[in-house]
Amino acid sequence: MTRNPQVRTARVGLITFSAGDGGNDRMLVHLARGLSEHGCVVDFLTRTTEAPYLGSLPSSVKRLVIEGNSETERLRRLGRYVAEYRPDVLLSGKRSDAEALAAVRSAQTETRVFFRVGTTFSARNENRSMLKTWWRMRRLRRLFPKAHGVIAVSHGVARDVERLLGVPPERIHVVPNPVVTPEMLEAPPPVPPHPFFAAPRDVPVVMGMGGLRKAKDFPTLLRAFTLMIQEKPARLIILGKGHLKERLVALARSLGIERWTDFPGFVENPYGYLAHADLFVLSSLWEGSPNVLTEALAMGTAVVATDCPSGPREILQDGRYGRLVPCGDPSAMARAMVEALEAPPEPAFLKQAVARYTLAASSREHLKAFGLLGAASDESPSRHGAEKADGEPAP
């Protein structure tokens, strides 16, 4: 992608202190690439160099490590980064909101701090103790209004932020995730080396994917699959890792579907699985904007999703691009799965749903939210400080 002449030269720091294998960190890696391709100088700040997806960062993105054995030490190093590099925008991805604000205050720069919110607080609160919820929301209500802006990944998330945290609506920007990369649309990925895909394939393959934890509600998917195969034989693959794996395997065994179900674990590049599956099912109890649902549509794969808060209804445009079912209802899910397998939409039609979620479109929307579109640069590159070696610890 050539540099966009409408984007003034700017420096953006993306910070995540989670650096795990979840969608948050993958989306930040995609965003770093997209912002760089739009002409920004991009720094990617983490607490470690050993994390999935970091290897996917392009060479144009500078990787910096915020080291430190204590929160005080990490904050000091983050403050030194802001003071030396003077980014125009610092986007906090996860577990770094308070540190990002404190670092800018200590550095006394004009850096604007944005928080990225990828899930609905209200739905998560329903699954926490009252005391823990009260304490967490009290802290967030004090913190969030201090940010220059909030990036919400869906309209449902935006409503949550405004209602629960008291952030003025004019400072909340709904920006779709940069899920769909150009490579995903170029050519179908190869068939994955999994026995369920081995030729000849006499039954359809159903896919589930995500962290093996409560929010994804894979028990409902397993029960729905049990009901479905009584009418339509199939195989089920659930990708992901998490603390509930043994329970899910035991549940599959107790339901009598163990031989038709597999849990291969975490797969860094799952697109072959999604592209060659006959159906993808999202069984979540809550989401923000489920990336895997968007990825399945980008692969042209039929989908069924729970109508959970929030994201699926927005992505599927009220059910136009896939069936929506109530949360925790195996019978409704099983019926929708059978219907989707018997009358799948055309792949080209499904791919229309993801236009707002491409790398280019999402990156541009982020730049608009940051206020970095439309102004010519009148600053010299030296304003951003000396360059550091890739992966070097922040000062």
Side-chain angles (χ1 to χ4, degrees):
M1 183 185 297
T2 58
R3 185 184 184 277
N4 188 334
Q6 289 185 304
V7 182
R8 71 176 179 85
T9 302
R11 188 164 212 135
V12 179
L14 307 180
I15 176 172
T16 172
F17 283 169
S18 58
D21 57 10
N24 171 76
D25 298 298
R26 186 151 50 95
M27 289 306 102
L28 286 179
V29 167
H30 285 188
L31 179 59
R33 170 187 170 182
L35 294 178
S36 178
E37 290 177 351
H38 272 293
C40 293
V41 178
V42 182
D43 304 318
F44 200 91
L45 297 93
T46 65
R47 291 171 58 180
T48 176
T49 59
E50 301 296 328
Y53 308 126
L54 293 183
S56 301
L57 285 168
S59 59
S60 58
V61 174
K62 183 169 296 299
R63 285 185 282 178
L64 297 168
V65 182
I66 303 297
E67 294 181 326
N69 296 323
S70 66
E71 182 177 332
T72 301
E73 177 65 15
R74 290 191 298 270
L75 179 57
R76 185 180 67 83
R77 289 181 177 272
L78 185 57
R80 289 179 61 184
Y81 156 77
V82 174
E84 179 171 344
Y85 285 82
R86 306 181 72 82
D88 297 274
V89 168
L90 192 61
L91 176 64
S92 172
K94 195 173 183 182
R95 299 179 187 171
S96 51
D97 296 338
E99 290 86 349
L101 276 175
V104 170
R105 284 198 300 266
S106 68
Q108 298 182 345
T109 67
E110 296 181 358
T111 300
R112 285 168 293 140
V113 178
F114 287 74
F115 296 162
R116 178 185 180 275
V117 183
T119 191
T120 47
F121 292 115
S122 57
R124 293 187 67 181
N125 289 345
E126 292 175 1
N127 294 273
R128 295 174 181 263
S129 69
M130 291 182 62
L131 180 59
K132 184 179 292 187
T133 296
W134 176 84
W135 179 254
R136 182 168 183 264
M137 297 310 296
R138 179 175 179 267
R139 180 177 61 84
L140 294 178
R141 289 189 189 106
R142 292 181 174 181
L143 179 65
F144 265 66
K146 298 176 183 178
H148 294 85
V150 174
I151 303 296
V153 299
S154 68
H155 288 280
V157 169
R159 288 191 293 269
D160 243 29
V161 170
E162 180 183 356
R163 180 174 62 88
L164 295 178
L165 304 183
V167 179
E170 62 270 16
R171 279 196 273 164
I172 304 173
H173 309 271
V174 178
V175 183
N177 277 330
V179 180
V180 184
T181 64
E183 295 79 14
M184 290 174 61
L185 302 177
E186 286 177 356
V191 178
H194 190 284
F196 287 0
F197 291 104
R201 247 169 79 186
D202 53 349
V203 296
V205 175
V206 178
M207 280 288 306
M209 189 170 116
L212 306 184
R213 56 183 186 272
K214 181 177 181 179
K216 305 303 179 182
D217 194 17
F218 288 123
T220 291
L221 175 55
L222 290 172
R223 294 186 175 97
F225 179 75
T226 303
L227 296 173
M228 188 200 78
I229 61 175
Q230 296 175 15
E231 181 176 345
K232 192 172 189 67
R235 302 288 184 268
L236 174 64
I237 297 174
I238 297 179
L239 294 182
K241 65 179 183 180
H243 68 283
L244 294 181
K245 180 174 182 178
E246 292 184 5
R247 294 186 191 179
L248 293 171
V249 172
L251 177 59
R253 186 182 304 115
S254 68
L255 291 170
I257 60 171
E258 185 180 19
R259 60 182 294 195
W260 301 296
T261 307
D262 192 32
F263 299 84
F266 171 75
V267 175
E268 185 167 346
N269 187 340
Y271 303 130
Y273 285 85
L274 293 172
H276 294 282
D278 299 277
L279 175 66
F280 173 79
V281 182
L282 183 91
S283 53
S284 299
L285 296 172
W286 70 86
E287 289 281 357
S289 181
N291 298 323
V292 66
L293 184 63
T294 307
E295 291 167 336
L297 292 168
M299 295 293 102
T301 301
V303 300
V304 169
T306 51
D307 192 11
C308 68
S310 63
R313 181 168 288 276
E314 292 180 36
I315 294 170
L316 299 180
Q317 297 184 26
D318 295 325
R320 182 185 183 200
Y321 292 103
R323 290 164 173 81
L324 291 161
V325 299
C327 294
D329 189 335
S331 297
M333 184 175 288
R335 288 194 300 271
M337 290 163 67
V338 171
E339 292 169 359
L341 287 171
E342 291 184 343
E346 288 295 323
F349 171 73
L350 295 175
K351 293 178 181 181
Q352 296 175 9
V354 304
R356 296 178 63 240
Y357 298 86
T358 64
L359 187 72
S362 175
S363 300
R364 183 177 178 84
E365 288 300 308
H366 276 86
L367 288 169
K368 287 173 63 177
F370 296 155
L372 298 178
L373 276 180
S377 175
D378 57 1
E379 301 168 342
S380 82
S382 63
R383 174 249 190 256
H384 296 295
E387 297 299 321
K388 297 293 180 183
D390 191 37
E392 182 175 328

